[in-house]
Amino acid sequence: MAAASVLALSACAGGGGTESSGAGTESLRFGISNEPANLITGVDQGTVGNTMMTLIHRGLMSYDKEGKVIAGLAESVEMTDPITYTFKLRPNLTFHDGSPVTANNVKASLEYYANKANGSTLFVGLQDIKSVEVKDDHSGVIHLSGPNSAFLEYLAIPTAAIVPDKSLAKDIPNQIGAGPYTLKEHNRGVNLVLDKFDQYYAADQVKLPGIDMSFYSDGSARTNALLGGDVDIIDYVPWPDYDRVSGTSGMTLDAQSGPLQFIQFNVTKGPFADAKVRQAVAYALNRENAVEAAFQGHGEPLAGVKIPEDNPAYDPANTGLFGYDVSKAKALLAEAGYPDGFEAKMLTTSQYTFLQDTALSAQADLSAIGIKVTLDAPDWSTRVAKGNSGDYDLAVAGGAGIVADPTYIKGLVSGPNSFLRSFGYDNPALNAKLDEGLRATDDAAKKAAYNDALKIMQTDVPYAPINTREQAFAFNSKVSGFKNLPGFLSFYSGYSFADISLSE
């Protein structure tokens, strides 16, 4: 199994790796790229949502600065066999409302995420949970229906938080956690204030007394706020501003490569229900142009399925599933019965320039093969709502694997409909191969299963890859202890905020 068989720690920090204790007196001023929506239990709500989850909540597991899975609320987790995990909670855990964190909360939270009816985006990774057996207030046993080589990774996802039972509902804001910070106030449209939670299990190592988050949805305004001294740290550094930030004395640009750009399809109606049309789109995309147009070169064309090179499932042959071939794209459209093309609506958003620019690049590419695309670019919240309800023909999306293991693909091709994946897409044969890869207990079997899965994806095109991109934070010289997590995990870098300190 890829997962560690035994994990244990005694006093590791919340984000992992804090070297010393101590308390500061100054709150961190964080210029964040969007105003957080009310958090929905178990639902991925994008980068800002994940950041909020890492600040307010903790699950049994967490990630350290290097992207390694570490214990969170759990003092230890032991894999006694491939389908049995025994956990023990840290002592004296408390939620922000003063109630104790118990093994019964673990059972209720995990079984909620494993129930497809609850619409959790964790379902694809936690559906193997058959039951959680409570031994006493502080320990229990998780029984799986089959081996799951990425199980501990899924438990470390910010949305896999252990929450009070009363938060286990779609319509109740998920803002009572057991993480390092509590929500003090939310001034709509202006800012959000967090206070340090003194009962957090590693509170003695959290140096910031609080975090003042100001909302800067405009990228240039966000950069100017940092360079002008209004904030200490920003997320989502706009790619055109990389050189300006890194060239300014006292500023650090912390960029990681990993997040993806791709095109989603509504496969429940119209031409995109036909796999040949989806193939045509995949071959029509000029990925070099997209990287330049949207990211000023801070990315790489992606013509296959992203799998980390150090993963046993990696095969360089799968990095080039779709070449740039306009003639082939036109031929596929003709085979599908659309020799003269058709009209379609592409969903993007006006709130993130890189998604607009990616959509414009794809619009030009698709026009070249006869697909006349009209852009629909609402604000981000509306874009999410339209994605969740399937109100589009095709959509430009950005994101990352929910975990680094290639089982992340399951979240992009199966599970409850959401803005994170093509609406209505389901392929039982693909799902079976991805499950086979997840359950494989030796490297060769895992690689073989994923090779088969990717062959299916090359033919059926559940989404059309475009490129990878860099994702950056930037901060001033007062900030120390922060690290942008590697690869896909960049979106979980809020874990590192528990390690930040400010020089006076």
Side-chain angles (χ1 to χ4, degrees), residues 391-459:
D391 185 9
Y392 63 92
D393 296 318
L394 69 171
V396 167
I402 191 169
V403 292
D405 187 272
T407 188
Y408 82 85
I409 300 167
K410 292 181 68 178
L412 299 179
V413 304
S414 64
N417 275 315
S418 82
F419 74 99
L420 298 170
R421 72 184 198 87
S422 291
F423 189 82
Y425 183 83
D426 184 50
N427 184 327
L430 174 58
N431 296 341
K433 284 298 177 185
L434 293 174
D435 281 342
E436 189 177 319
L438 178 65
R439 302 195 189 295
T441 55
D442 69 79
D443 291 349
K446 182 172 184 172
K447 185 173 184 176
Y450 279 106
N451 274 341
D452 289 344
L454 267 53
K455 287 176 183 174
I456 295 173
M457 294 177 71
Q458 186 177 26
T459 301

Side-chain angles (χ1 to χ4, degrees), residues 7 18 63 77 111 154 160 163 165 182 216 237 245 268 275 348 357 417 434-435 460 464 478:
L7 292 178
T18 297
Y63 282 105
V77 176
E111 291 183 351
Y154 278 100
V163 301
D165 292 359
T182 64
Y216 291 92
V237 180
V245 171
T268 65
T348 179
D357 291 341
N417 275 315
L434 293 174
D435 281 342
D460 209 36
K478 294 174 62 178

Side-chain angles (χ1 to χ4, degrees), residues 170-393:
K170 298 176 184 176
D171 56 351
I172 296 177
N174 180 23
Q175 59 190 33
I176 304 298
Y181 299 98
T182 64
L183 178 60
K184 179 181 181 182
E185 59 184 78
H186 185 173
N187 303 300
R188 297 287 175 185
V190 180
N191 73 334
L192 188 150
V193 179
L194 302 175
D195 278 349
K196 176 181 173 180
F197 179 47
D198 291 332
Q199 280 71 53
Y200 175 57
Y201 63 79
D204 61 332
Q205 298 179 23
V206 177
K207 300 179 180 67
L208 296 173
I211 301 174
D212 186 346
M213 304 169 68
S214 299
F215 313 138
Y216 291 92
S217 58
D218 180 85
S220 294
R222 194 161 59 252
T223 300
N224 289 336
L226 176 68
L227 299 183
D230 294 329
V231 298
D232 300 307
I233 187 170
I234 61 173
D235 67 349
Y236 258 103
V237 180
W239 294 266
D241 291 344
Y242 272 29
D243 291 343
R244 188 158 67 105
V245 171
S246 59
T248 300
S249 177
M251 295 292 165
T252 298
L253 179 78
D254 188 350
Q256 289 284 346
S257 179
L260 315 172
Q261 302 299 120
F262 50 94
I263 286 183
Q264 302 165 323
F265 306 98
N266 183 341
V267 304
T268 65
K269 61 181 182 180
F272 297 110
D274 189 327
K276 286 189 180 298
V277 176
R278 302 196 295 270
Q279 284 185 45
V281 171
Y283 285 106
L285 297 173
N286 186 326
R287 295 172 173 82
E288 297 278 357
N289 280 354
V291 171
E292 287 300 323
F295 304 103
Q296 291 71 53
H298 297 291
E300 297 290 337
L302 181 64
V305 177
K306 179 72 174 178
I307 294 178
E309 294 186 20
D310 60 354
N311 191 285
Y314 176 76
D315 186 336
N318 291 324
T319 60
L321 301 182
F322 306 104
Y324 174 47
D325 191 334
V326 173
S327 297
K328 185 170 184 174
K330 288 181 175 178
L332 285 163
L333 272 189
E335 288 179 33
Y338 301 99
D340 300 319
F342 55 85
E343 295 182 354
K345 182 175 70 175
M346 177 185 284
L347 182 61
T348 179
T349 177
S350 60
Q351 197 153 335
Y352 291 104
T353 302
F354 70 93
L355 287 174
Q356 278 197 83
D357 291 341
T358 302
L360 288 169
S361 180
Q363 182 185 43
D365 295 338
L366 297 182
S367 178
I369 64 169
I371 302 177
K372 306 300 180 185
V373 168
T374 300
L375 300 185
D376 179 15
D379 60 62
W380 177 246
S381 295
T382 304
R383 191 271 181 244
V384 170
K386 288 191 170 190
N388 287 335
S389 65
D391 185 9
Y392 63 92
D393 296 318

